[in-house]
Structures are given as structure tokens and as C-alpha cells.
Amino acid sequence: MSKFFTLFLLTLLISLMPLHAQVSLGLRGGYTLSATQIKNSQGYKSNSLGTSSQLTNFHADLMINVPVYKRLYFQPLVRYITKGAYLRPLPSKQGVFVESANQLKLHYLEVPLNMVLKFPVSLGKIVVGGGPYVAYGLNGTYDLDLMYNGSVVSTDSHSIEFNYKDRGIAPGAQLSRFDAGANLAFGIEFNNLMVVGANLSRGMFNLDRTSSAKITNSYFSLSLGVLLDREDY
């Protein structure tokens, strides 16, 4: 599957090469506010954006602008992003040691495939749109607390290897390497080639491979960057 994802990216980039005269590229980076929703037999262990579960991190983008028709553009991104969340502790049991995952970080190479409309204004263009995304998991980590009578005794950091068993966020959990969903995009392309943007993303794919839980990603991002050229120049 990793070969398939690499082939997908190469095919996307190669397909754009003949349109070089019309295509513009840009680089962006910024702030990410993420959440991983986890629902299992014990109830929600992590909730949505806007709660104490959300995690802050950073992302980096290669942005591609392809004119389609008048104000309509195909605007895919190649994005390196960290998703994840702070996880709510499992219920404690008196006199019993309990292992409970604390902080989850998942590193992805993500490709949002957005269709956007660009509206000319005096300072540049306002960009509004959205579309699906696919993401490939590179690696990840989680912190595992050892708790006794409701107190943390010790904390260990563990790596997540998507291809191996017992490398999820709890013993026996298995996470899928692939993620997919939908996102909304808003931005401004200034006349001086500076760009700002915002994305709201919601995962639609269950990351749990054991069918014992439902695990999905979501995030909100703010980006700042620059266009390397303009397709309308």
C-alpha cells in the first residue's frame, strides 16, 4: 500500500507537468489544532475539537493551483501534518494498577484534493472551497501512564508502527496506516504573492483495525506562506 500511495503522488505531480505554464506553486506552513475521536466499549476516551482533548502542533504544505474554468481551480496540497489528541484517563480501580494512554501523536503525509473558487478583490483573491483528502501514516507515538488509585505512577513513551500488532494506543490495538475524509478551505492570495489560509478537516475512515472501537481524526489549521509564481501572470 505504501508503494500505491507513492505512485499516486508521482502520478498527480507528473499529470500537472504539461500544464506548467498555467500552474502555480506555493509553500505554506502553520499551526494545527487536532483531535482524535475514540469511542470504545468504555465510552469516549477522546473527544472533538473545542474540548480539552485537542492537541496543538504544526504542518507544512506544498500548494498547487490549476485553473479549470474562469474562477474555478483545482488546488491539491501535499501536506506533512501531525494529528492526535490528549486522551482521557481510563477509570481507576482501587488497589489495581491500570495502564492508560495519555498523549497520541500521528504523523501523516496528506493530500487534500480541493476544488476552490477565487474571487478577485482589491488586495488579491479570496479563496473558498473544499474536497476529499487521503493520508498515509508515517509513524507515531503515544505516552502510556501507569496509574494506581487514580494517580500516575510512571509514564513511558511508545512508538506506533502501523504494520505490527500491539502497536496502537492500548495493548492489542491495531491502527490503520491510511486515513481519509473531507475538508473545507478558506484563504486569501495577496497581490504581493503572500497567502494565508484555513482548513477544517474531518476524518471519515475508522483507523481501528480490530473492530473493537471507532477512531477518527479531525483538525483545524491556520497557514501562512508564499506563492512561487502566479498562474495568471
Side-chain angles (χ1 to χ4, degrees):
M1 295 297 288
S2 61
K3 293 181 179 179
F4 171 80
F5 196 83
T6 302
L7 181 61
F8 171 79
L9 285 178
L10 290 175
T11 302
L12 174 64
L13 294 175
I14 291 173
S15 65
L16 298 175
M17 290 178 64
L19 301 174
H20 176 71
Q22 297 178 331
V23 171
S24 67
L25 302 178
L27 298 175
R28 301 191 314 188
Y31 171 85
T32 306
L33 192 63
S34 68
T36 299
Q37 296 77 32
I38 302 173
K39 187 176 183 179
N40 53 26
S41 59
Q42 297 169 311
Y44 276 102
K45 194 166 190 273
S46 178
N47 294 312
S48 302
L49 291 171
T51 69
S52 58
S53 294
Q54 61 192 14
L55 182 73
T56 59
N57 223 289
F58 298 95
H59 65 271
D61 298 340
L62 170 65
M63 182 172 61
I64 305 168
N65 284 296
V66 183
V68 176
Y69 180 74
K70 293 184 177 180
R71 296 178 179 177
L72 181 64
Y73 288 73
F74 178 46
Q75 191 182 78
L77 304 175
V78 180
R79 165 170 286 187
Y80 173 79
I81 187 169
T82 299
K83 304 180 185 182
Y86 288 104
L87 309 180
R88 194 171 65 210
L90 290 174
S92 61
K93 299 178 181 179
Q94 291 297 314
V96 178
F97 286 98
V98 176
E99 288 186 331
S100 179
N102 179 356
Q103 180 179 250
L104 172 67
K105 290 184 178 181
L106 302 171
H107 307 292
Y108 288 94
L109 186 63
E110 181 175 290
V111 181
L113 302 169
N114 295 330
M115 298 297 295
V116 302
L117 290 170
K118 297 188 180 185
F119 301 96
V121 293
S122 60
L123 51 76
K125 295 179 181 178
I126 294 177
V127 182
V128 180
Y133 78 81
V134 292
Y136 178 81
L138 302 173
N139 52 57
T141 60
Y142 67 96
D143 293 339
L144 190 65
D145 292 338
L146 181 63
M147 305 183 68
Y148 185 77
N149 292 340
S151 299
V152 177
V153 177
S154 63
T155 301
D156 294 317
S157 182
H158 296 261
S159 297
I160 293 176
E161 301 291 345
F162 295 98
N163 291 334
Y164 297 93
K165 295 181 179 179
D166 299 333
R167 289 295 185 182
I169 53 177
Q174 300 176 42
L175 296 184
S176 172
R177 184 181 292 275
F178 288 89
D179 188 18
N183 80 104
L184 298 175
F186 174 82
I188 301 175
E189 296 180 358
F190 294 97
N191 291 325
N192 64 1
L193 301 186
M194 296 293 294
V195 294
V196 295
N199 289 82
L200 180 62
S201 173
R202 185 67 170 90
M204 305 294 182
F205 182 75
N206 186 4
L207 303 180
D208 180 65
R209 293 194 295 158
T210 65
S211 300
S212 62
K214 183 176 181 180
I215 304 174
T216 56
N217 283 317
S218 61
Y219 69 83
F220 173 75
S221 68
L222 292 173
S223 304
L224 176 65
V226 61
L227 291 173
L228 303 181
D229 54 6
R230 283 272 290 271
E231 74 284 344
D232 56 353
Y233 277 10

